[in-house]
């Protein structure tokens, strides 16, 4: 009588066949251990600035606990439109060109589901943020990888896009400053890419969630480029810039047709983003600039510390211009990025994310987040040095370091 | 310069070498700047923030509002000096508003503080009146929350 039921069979094969996240395994491993110093965290180490938390508490006291319009609070959309106009001179109508979403995560899903028909191809840079490929697959599309590497500063180029375009290509997904590499992209590159996008009639989804965390040069907002405003769906949010990951609030901006279509999905699947988070985001935009700048300043200092530490350790590291990630190369240890990360965790209890979690092109690298206190960073580097010493011995010759700074003065920073 | 000061203000133990890395400067240059600022009395000292309550040391502090009659030529300065020269006085500030000087004083016992106020402070010429407020508990001091239970609650690995 007892027929064994295979529930797996009932699962939509598209969902079933999505491979488990490469990060998940490390999460499980690291969570079980005590005394781990983690450079594996993709979110700010700061708690949301107090004025924002306080504004949220006040909104609750005042009884703001209801749904908002599907679009989100008008005042928040207006504040976003103002910010974009002031910072990048790109103008959106808060009435019908901005949609408040449950983080960039929802915005990304909405944009993809809005644009993709079965079989449509989406060009994404690789290494890339872990959600892109699965979200494309779930939306019925097919991810096509633009392989970036340290040799071109992990930047997508017009040439790469041109080469990858097929009649099925519909969308180009960009993410600069980048997770996991910390790379930024030059305005020149973006202008050339824009030309290709226009010539090939591609829609661009631009995930600019790390935009405020730019340390070298100035960020270029994709829709601000000539001919790109209506062709681009801009995704951004408050998670990284204002240390608000847990609030789940972000936004999408684009032409009224795209935004209306995205709102259609949003209104039936999400209804609206939490009002409490929207109130907090409004406070962040209205009064959060100085606190945000302070956080950015701290990341910027740590970035230098991290680059210095890798240089001392002898790990070649591309100089990241944004976000809060460094993506050093670990090939010369002879280990795969997974082996490296696993052994590092087990031997010296430092958690990093193997580059392979971000696609094949990430192999040979590890992602180190410097959203960690200086004390934690120093402790992690001390342990990593020990780990590497055991592994590489002495006199190893390192090639291809992308760090621009000169040789390390003898004895400098022994104590760090 | 400002950046060096900001760093030292949060951690006085940072060496010129460490500061040089954080600010992408030359170590020599940072060391010189610090020395210069010490000489110009921009940097007056390096101290350690201590939660004495935890040491179990018996300590009381009080903030005393002092009203003065100003003196010709020197205003409040000379009275202020007569007060701040006492080693038990932690800080002296000239205030706007209902009183003139805010004097912070530390003693071992309440009696000791009371004795200081009545015998030393109140008797100074030009002091019109004093009003003493004893500190019951310190929550935040020099920008630092004394018992901060807001720890890192993030998951160890996230995308
Ligand atoms: C590139 C990138 N996009 C999107 C997200 C998700 O952002 P949100 O918290 O706004 O959903 C992250 C978070 O790590 C990210 O790194």
């Amino acid at each position: 009588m007892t027929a064994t039921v295979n529930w797996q069979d009932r699962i939509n094969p598209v969902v079933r066949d999505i491979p488990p996240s490469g990060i998940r395994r490390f999460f499980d491993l690291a969570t079980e251990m005590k005394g781990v110093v983690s450079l594996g965290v993709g979110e700010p180490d700061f708690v949301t600035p107090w004025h924002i938390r306080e504004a949220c508490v006040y909104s609750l006291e005042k009884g703001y606990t209801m749904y908002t319009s599907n679009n989100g609070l008008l005042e928040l959309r207006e504040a976003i439109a103002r910010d974009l106009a002031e910072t990048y001179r790109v103008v959106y109508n808060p009435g019908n060109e901005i949609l408040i979403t449950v983080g960039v995560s929802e915005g990304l899903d909405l944009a993809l589901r809005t644009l993709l028909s079965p079989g449509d191809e989406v060009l994404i840079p690789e290494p890339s943020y872990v959600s892109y490929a699965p979200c494309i697959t779930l939306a019925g599309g097919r991810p096509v990888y633009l392989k970036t590497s340290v040799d071109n500063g992990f930047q997508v180029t017009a040439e790469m896009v041109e080469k990858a375009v097929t009649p099925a290509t519909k969308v180009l997904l960009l993410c600069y400053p980048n997770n996991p590499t910390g790379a930024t992209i030059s305005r020149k590159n973006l202008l050339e890419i824009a030309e290709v996008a226009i010539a090939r009639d591609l829609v661009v989804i631009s995930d600019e969630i790390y935009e405020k965390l730019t340390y070298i040069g100035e960020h270029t907002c994709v829709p601000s480029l000539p001919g790109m405003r209506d062709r681009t769906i801009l995704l951004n949010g408050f998670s990284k810039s204002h240390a608000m990951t847990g609030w789940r609030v972000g936004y999408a901006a684009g032409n009224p047709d795209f935004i209306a279509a995205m709102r259609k999905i949003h209104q039936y699947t999400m209804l609206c983003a939490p009002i409490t988070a929207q109130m907090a985001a409004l406070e962040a935009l209205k009064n959060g600039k100085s606190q945000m700048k302070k956080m950015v300043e701290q990341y910027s200092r740590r970035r230098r510390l991290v680059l210095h530490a890798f240089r001392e350790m002898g790990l070649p590291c591309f100089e990241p211009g944004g976000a809060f990630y460094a993506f050093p190369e670990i090939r010369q240890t002879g280990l795969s990025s997974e082996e490296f990360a696993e052994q590092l965790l087990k031997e010296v209890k430092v958690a990093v994310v193997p580059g392979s979690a971000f696609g094949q092109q990430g192999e040979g690298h590890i992602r180190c987040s410097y959203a960690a206190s200086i004390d934690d960073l120093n402790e992690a580097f001390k342990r990593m040095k020990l780990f590497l010493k055991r592994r590489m011995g002495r006199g190893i010759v390192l090639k291809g370091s992308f760090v621009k700074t000169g040789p390390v003065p003898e004895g400098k920073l022994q104590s760090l | 310069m400002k950046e060096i000061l900001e760093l030292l203000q949060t951690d006085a133990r940072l060496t010129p070498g460490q500061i040089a890395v954080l600010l992408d400067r030359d170590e020599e240059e940072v060391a010189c700047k610090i020395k210069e600022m010490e000489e110009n009395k921009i940097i007056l000292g390096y101290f350690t923030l201590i939660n004495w309550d935890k040491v179990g040391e018996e300590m009381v502090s009080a903030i005393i509002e002092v009203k003065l009659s100003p003196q010709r030529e020197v205003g409040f300065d000379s009275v202020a000096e007569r007060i701040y020269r006492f080693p038990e006085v932690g800080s002296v500030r000239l205030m706007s508003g209902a009183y003139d000087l805010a004097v912070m004083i530390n003693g071992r016992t309440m009696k000791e503080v009371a004795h200081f106020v009545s015998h030393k402070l109140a008797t100074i010429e030009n002091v019109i009146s004093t009003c003493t407020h004893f500190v019951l508990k310190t929550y935040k001091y020099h920008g630092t929350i004394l018992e901060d239970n807001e720890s890192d609650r993030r998951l160890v690995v996230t995308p």
Side-chain angles (χ1 to χ4, degrees):
Chain A
M1 273 283 288
T2 50
T4 47
V5 184
N6 187 354
W7 295 110
Q8 284 283 334
D9 285 351
R10 319 285 174 94
I11 298 171
N12 171 354
V14 177
V15 176
R16 195 187 52 210
D17 297 343
I18 286 177
S21 159
I23 281 185
R24 184 77 223 170
R25 209 170 71 81
F26 274 87
F27 173 73
D28 292 341
L29 268 175
T31 309
E32 283 163 18
M33 292 171 82
K34 279 212 174 77
V36 172
V37 180
S38 183
L39 306 185
V41 192
E43 62 181 312
D45 57 313
F46 301 105
V47 179
T48 309
W50 178 253
H51 73 100
I52 298 172
R53 292 193 269 162
E54 202 271 339
C56 145
V57 172
Y58 181 70
S59 82
L60 289 173
E61 283 173 353
K62 286 282 163 194
Y64 286 100
T65 58
M66 58 292 284
Y67 295 130
T68 69
S69 88
N70 298 135
N71 288 325
L73 295 171
L74 179 61
E75 217 186 329
L76 176 58
R77 283 179 281 138
E78 284 168 348
I80 290 165
R82 241 187 335 267
D83 183 49
L84 289 169
E86 276 166 18
T87 321
Y88 302 114
R89 312 211 172 290
V90 52
V91 178
Y92 289 103
N93 177 351
N96 59 358
E97 296 185 320
I98 293 176
L99 177 68
I100 307 300
T101 58
V102 179
V104 167
S105 302
E106 195 215 355
L108 175 73
D109 182 42
L110 294 178
L112 290 167
R113 281 202 275 168
T114 291
L115 297 171
L116 298 183
S117 306
D120 282 347
E121 289 177 356
V122 181
L123 307 181
I124 60 174
E126 196 193 57
S128 83
Y129 177 51
V130 296
S131 298
Y132 293 160
C135 285
I136 292 165
T137 309
L138 286 169
R142 207 169 71 77
V144 174
Y145 300 99
L146 305 172
K147 297 193 181 296
T148 68
S149 71
V150 71
D151 303 325
N152 51 25
F154 293 107
Q155 296 188 34
V156 170
T157 62
E159 199 188 338
M160 285 181 203
V161 177
E162 186 71 67
K163 266 195 192 144
V165 169
T166 71
T169 311
K170 189 154 196 189
V171 175
L172 168 64
L173 176 45
L174 293 173
C175 172
Y176 293 97
N178 186 263
N179 177 7
T181 60
T184 48
I185 191 164
S186 70
R187 188 177 174 86
K188 177 174 167 289
N189 257 0
L190 279 179
L191 282 166
E192 290 169 8
I193 291 167
E195 270 178 35
V196 178
I198 293 165
R200 299 298 184 147
D201 197 19
L202 305 179
V203 175
V204 174
I205 299 177
S206 190
D207 176 352
E208 300 186 16
I209 192 164
Y210 293 101
E211 151 249 353
K212 302 272 193 248
L213 312 186
T214 300
Y215 315 109
I216 302 177
E218 277 187 8
H219 175 75
T220 304
C221 183
V222 173
S224 74
L225 297 171
M228 291 305 286
R229 199 201 83 118
D230 287 351
R231 190 171 284 284
T232 306
I233 297 178
L234 171 67
L235 304 177
N236 204 341
F238 304 87
S239 290
K240 318 288 171 166
S241 53
H242 293 86
M244 292 179 64
T245 46
W247 296 79
R248 312 311 305 129
V249 60
Y251 64 87
N255 71 54
D257 290 341
F258 286 170
I259 292 300
M262 286 169 70
R263 184 178 54 235
K264 217 187 281 180
I265 307 176
H266 174 77
Q267 86 186 2
Y268 295 126
T269 58
M270 199 63 68
L271 230 165
C272 68
I275 187 170
T276 312
Q278 293 192 55
M279 298 296 258
L282 182 59
E283 170 66 20
L285 276 179
K286 270 166 70 184
N287 301 313
K289 214 170 201 165
S290 73
Q291 294 256 349
M292 178 190 71
K293 283 208 167 127
K294 279 206 181 113
M295 292 192 275
V296 174
E297 193 169 62
Q298 299 232 26
Y299 292 133
S300 166
R301 289 171 185 163
R302 295 169 187 176
R303 189 183 71 98
R304 298 179 188 132
L305 178 70
V306 171
L307 282 172
H308 179 86
F310 285 138
R311 188 152 24 108
E312 273 208 321
M313 257 178 250
L315 287 186
C317 184
F318 155 79
E319 182 174 354
F324 36 59
Y325 307 108
F327 206 56
E329 242 178 280
I330 49 87
R331 269 183 248 277
Q332 65 280 18
T333 58
L335 301 171
S336 73
S337 64
E338 251 200 56
E339 288 164 346
F340 185 99
E342 186 165 345
Q343 291 177 21
L344 186 71
L345 181 60
K346 287 186 172 156
E347 258 176 58
V348 294
K349 299 193 175 181
V350 173
V352 298
V353 180
S356 55
F358 307 98
Q360 276 172 19
Q361 205 59 17
E363 185 49 80
H365 294 264
I366 51 170
R367 189 195 72 176
C368 299
S369 158
Y370 51 88
S373 71
I374 287 187
D375 283 347
D376 277 358
L377 287 171
N378 285 330
E379 177 62 26
F381 296 142
K382 206 167 85 191
R383 296 184 191 185
M384 282 175 90
K385 261 180 210 164
L386 187 72
F387 175 83
L388 285 168
K389 210 165 165 189
R390 287 183 199 151
R391 222 69 22 184
M392 307 206 289
R394 283 158 164 269
I396 194 140
V397 181
L398 297 158
K399 291 172 290 184
S401 169
F402 249 69
V403 181
K404 61 154 197 214
T405 10
V408 189
E410 204 51 51
K412 190 174 175 184
L413 273 183
Q414 290 290 298
S415 59
L416 267 183
Chain B
M1 191 174 91
K2 188 161 156 249
E3 279 192 298
I4 297 176
L5 290 173
E6 281 168 3
L7 283 172
L8 283 174
Q9 194 172 31
T10 46
D11 186 357
R13 292 168 311 169
L14 286 174
T15 64
Q18 291 169 317
I19 293 172
V21 168
L22 292 172
L23 301 182
D24 200 14
R25 301 266 187 81
D26 184 62
E27 181 174 349
E28 290 292 305
E29 182 200 326
V30 171
C32 281
K33 264 271 177 277
I34 292 175
K35 192 142 201 287
E36 193 185 307
M37 289 190 285
E38 286 170 352
E39 280 164 8
N40 295 343
K41 304 264 182 199
I42 291 174
I43 295 176
L44 295 167
Y46 302 88
F47 72 99
T48 307
L49 210 53
I50 297 167
N51 185 349
W52 283 105
D53 278 354
K54 280 210 161 158
V55 184
E57 201 81 357
E58 208 49 64
M59 276 251 289
V60 287
S61 311
I63 293 168
I64 306 156
E65 299 171 0
V66 184
K67 277 191 193 158
L68 303 175
S69 56
Q71 289 171 291
R72 197 173 173 122
E73 313 256 324
V74 288
F76 296 117
D77 293 355
S78 81
V79 194
E81 178 170 2
R82 287 192 65 184
I83 296 172
Y84 64 63
R85 291 284 172 199
F86 285 107
E88 49 273 72
V89 170
S91 68
V92 177
R93 293 185 175 91
L94 182 63
M95 311 296 287
S96 67
Y99 59 97
D100 303 303
L101 293 182
V103 176
M104 179 93 195
I105 151 158
N106 303 305
R108 266 176 299 127
T109 61
M110 212 126 114
K111 219 162 150 186
E112 200 177 284
V113 173
H115 184 267
F116 175 83
V117 174
S118 58
H119 285 69
K120 302 277 169 51
L121 194 61
T123 55
I124 292 173
E125 218 185 320
N126 297 92
V127 169
I128 300 169
S129 69
T130 64
C131 177
T132 306
H133 307 271
F134 282 99
V135 174
L136 300 181
K137 183 172 178 174
T138 304
Y139 293 98
K140 187 175 179 178
Y141 183 58
H142 271 273
T144 303
I145 296 166
L146 295 177
E147 306 221 347
D148 201 349
N149 49 16
E150 211 160 66
S151 57
D152 191 348
R153 301 195 179 96
R154 297 174 302 163
L155 302 171
V156 279
V157 179
T158 58

